[in-house]
Amino acid sequence: MLRALGLWSPFRRSLSVMPIGLFAVLLAPVPDGPSGVNLQIVPRAGVEVPQGAPFRFDVKTVNEGSEEVDIEVRVTLWSPSPRDPVVEFHRWEVTLPPGGTAKATLSVTPAQWFASLGRFHIAATMIGEEAGPTLEFDVLDSAVVVPMFQDVTAASGLDTTLGEAGCAQFSAGAAWGDIEGDGDLDLYVPLQDEAAQLWVNDGAGHFDNQAGLRGADNDVATGMAAVFADYDNDGDQDLYVINDGPNRLYRNSGSGTFLDVAPQAGVADDAAGSSASWGDYDADGHLDLYVTNYKDCSIREGDADRLYHNEGDGTFTDRTPLLGPPEATAGAGFQAAWFDYDDDGDQDLYLANDYLTLVSEPNRLWRNDGPGPRGGWQFVDVSTESGAGWAMNAMGIGVGDYDGDLDLDFAVSNIAGNVLARNNGDGTFTNVAAAAGVERPTQVAGVNAITWGLAFWDFNLDTREDLFVAAGSLGGAPSQPDEVFVNAGGGRFLDLSAPSGTADPQTGRGVAFADYDRDGRVDLYVVNQFGRPVLYRNVTSTSGAHWLEVRAVGTASNRDGCGARLILTVGRVRMLREVFCGSTSLGSGSDPTVHFGLGSAGGIGGLEILWPSGVRQVLPRVAIDRLVTVVEPS
């Protein structure tokens, strides 16, 4: 009865509730605590919020006694279901002089932990004692379509596990690619402690491991990451595997079998590898390669990264000095991303570095300035003036136009709060993660969030790019559930992690994204270290929503169209996407096919493609609800 009346408390003691309008203010002395200390909890506005939005409130302590007191306030969240755990989401330490008061403005987003709708309760303790009945508020239906995912790992035949990792072996990824050219996406998983797996798609949603048969089992190397790309422009997908030790470049024979040609190609980089990214920085039609290395635990310095230029004859030349002195790439790197941040038609480079005690290199942004005066190539380090040279525990990178202003923004994973770098359109970036609702510095009270692979995709087909972020501890408890932030427009995201079905508490690392079943909804493969990777099929209810997927095939440009910019017009909405080839997430290769959600629009107003070669192509009409292949005009 008390619960039905909104006066229910989970506590043993019964304390008074003072109704004020539509809500209740909690005002109670601490039982058996310091004399005269009271606590108030007051909503900032109403007591209803849509699912995924934060509920904001004030906590105020008042010392009406005659002595100074030190107190710790702990704030917990109770869901409508008695089966759900109680979450302690905030701790607050405060010293109160006689007659003193202190106030904290807090917020909590229930959908971070709970899929439930209904009445939630906020409770508080002071000095370990219950500090009154709960403050109640209601979580209503979300204002956006909630992306929903289903674990189909076992049903698809992809069940596998990753064992223990060695010192500093934090990266772990996977890669999607069509190795046979049959239209079905296959999946490569480099396992650190055993032979790699190459899961071949039978076209009906089932996969079979054929790594040994295909010559791509990584032959006892310690595999960390992988990405597919057609580096030799012969029409099939080759594979670059990043190892803790010599890397491998598997050239595709054309029939889906592979031969390691890394030594003769000049890219058998022998370091503690984290990831690799393909991009044609000089627009000569051949994909160049950036290899990001972390650090060897036996030395203090980070392993220098490598920039390899594709000579077009099957070989690569080390051009790392183009990026500056040796220390420019010698941080503990996790991921690099090629993307055109300044919209000048060439590929710039951003590097995410882990900022460690002994290896303290911040993130770096190199602007691509094109050919130099003496025939070389010019990259300019603009990390400081761009505002993007954050010193942080950066792991993964996601790139997208989340605010729909036709320039590319990016997100960076971190310890104690993600970064969302909004492109200001003038060569600078501003971190707006907190205001946008994607920072999430803690998982629960006293536990910093630790995040890894991430990327922007439109999971619910509403035209706006959402953000998925893998989370994972450094090898032990506490758990770190993955994060799903759904774009609500206006520069704001809703945290719908638990309702999405992907808030897996395993040790997430890299994530490979692809619409592997070609139903118009982007799926994800989350690589969990020390555990079981998961294939999540996107089963979002998108009735009435439409989509378009575009595969860009270069002719003068590189065959995979890496770096091509696509602008799609739907009514008054214009959407920008870029083709990425290993540049997003962490140590993973997502399908380079470009995906657009169209909302309820039954057609498009035109598709414009800006190819790396400089060719501009306009398609006034394109059929929707399908994958289309667009070839660069010769």
Side-chain angles (χ1 to χ4, degrees), residues 217-296:
D217 63 3
N218 209 18
D219 190 24
V220 307
T222 303
M224 306 299 297
V227 59
F228 284 97
D230 185 4
Y231 81 93
D232 51 4
N233 288 336
D234 65 353
D236 52 43
Q237 290 291 286
D238 310 298
L239 174 65
Y240 192 70
V241 180
I242 301 90
N243 294 317
D244 189 354
N247 297 339
R248 300 186 188 280
L249 176 60
Y250 286 111
R251 188 182 65 213
N252 193 326
S253 67
S255 60
T257 60
F258 295 89
L259 177 67
D260 179 20
V261 296
Q264 51 266 49
V267 292
D269 196 50
D270 186 3
S274 292
S275 64
S277 307
W278 295 96
D280 184 4
Y281 73 78
D282 57 356
D284 65 354
H286 305 291
L287 282 176
D288 310 305
L289 178 65
Y290 190 90
V291 178
T292 308
N293 295 315
Y294 193 68
K295 69 180 295 292
D296 187 322

Side-chain angles (χ1 to χ4, degrees), residues 109-136:
T109 305
Q112 176 180 337
W113 305 282
F114 304 114
S116 306
L117 302 175
R119 182 152 296 178
F120 285 77
H121 301 76
I122 295 173
T125 65
M126 289 195 295
I127 322 175
E129 294 289 344
E130 299 146 0
T134 64
L135 171 63
E136 299 179 349

Side-chain angles (χ1 to χ4, degrees), residues 343-483:
D343 193 21
D344 65 351
D346 53 35
Q347 293 287 282
D348 310 298
L349 182 65
Y350 189 74
L351 173 63
N353 282 322
D354 193 1
Y355 201 80
L356 306 173
T357 303
L358 298 177
V359 186
S360 303
E361 291 293 334
N363 297 350
R364 293 188 184 272
L365 175 62
W366 287 280
R367 187 183 66 219
N368 188 339
D369 278 0
R374 290 181 294 275
W377 205 263
Q378 298 182 111
F379 285 94
V380 178
D381 187 338
V382 294
S383 308
T384 301
E385 51 265 49
S386 69
W390 291 286
M392 57 187 288
N393 298 112
M395 282 75 139
I397 304 173
V399 183
D401 180 20
Y402 81 92
D403 53 1
D405 62 355
L406 300 184
D407 54 32
L408 290 173
D409 317 290
F410 65 93
V412 187
S413 53
N414 188 27
I415 296 177
N418 303 312
V419 163
L420 177 59
R422 185 188 65 206
N423 192 328
N424 298 319
D426 59 1
T428 68
F429 293 86
T430 302
N431 179 16
V432 297
V438 301
E439 182 182 34
R440 202 201 282 181
T442 61
Q443 293 286 16
V444 293
V447 178
N448 287 335
I450 306 175
T451 53
W452 302 85
L454 72 172
F456 290 97
W457 295 85
D458 183 358
F459 296 118
N460 58 7
L461 307 186
D462 66 355
T463 75
R464 297 185 294 262
E465 289 185 289
D466 312 305
L467 180 63
F468 181 89
V469 186
S473 70
L474 295 173
S479 63
Q480 295 271 339
D482 297 331
E483 305 170 357

